[in-house]
Amino acid sequence: RGGGGRGGRGGGGRGGHGHGHGGGAPGTQLYVGNLSFDTNWQDLKDFFSEYGDVQRADVMEGPDGRKKGFGIVRFFNKDDAEKAIKQCDGADLQGRNISVRLDHKAN
């Protein structure tokens, strides 16, 4: 539970894998659901980078290292995040129609 190792509960802020320009800074975080279990943080970051400057991207994993099928993407700019929600909600990513919304737990 939460211990060290590879990201614990997928990390929020500073935990996890630290992909991007650091965590904990202001920004707008999105929840991305219905991800393929093959999708990794780099795939997520690359996909959303088309809509603005991505600060962080992470795919959540359980304690056993298996992906949970959802992730987070944090944008530096709120307008970019809102554009990504409008353009990406329902879009295809690696054969799955993803759901994208504001992450109310983080913002």
Side-chain angles (χ1 to χ4, degrees):
R1 196 178 216 202
R6 274 179 38 106
R9 295 176 56 202
R14 290 204 164 149
H17 306 292
H19 307 301
H21 299 281
T28 301
Q29 186 163 297
L30 306 182
Y31 167 90
V32 184
N34 200 38
L35 293 176
S36 163
F37 292 116
D38 295 327
T39 302
N40 63 36
W41 71 267
Q42 187 68 59
D43 298 326
L44 210 51
K45 185 169 186 178
D46 291 347
F47 183 81
F48 281 92
S49 290
E50 183 178 331
Y51 303 95
D53 195 7
V54 174
Q55 179 180 2
R56 178 183 180 84
D58 236 330
V59 174
M60 301 308 161
E61 298 177 349
D64 59 359
R66 288 198 296 179
K67 294 179 181 148
K68 294 185 169 189
F70 71 94
I72 57 103
V73 176
R74 178 175 284 275
F75 283 89
F76 284 102
N77 182 305
K78 182 180 180 191
D79 291 338
D80 291 343
E82 289 174 355
K83 181 171 57 173
I85 292 170
K86 288 177 185 153
Q87 299 286 325
C88 298
D89 187 39
D92 180 271
L93 176 59
Q94 296 183 332
R96 303 288 299 254
N97 289 341
I98 59 172
S99 62
V100 182
R101 62 172 168 75
L102 196 62
D103 186 349
H104 298 290
K105 294 179 182 176
N107 293 304

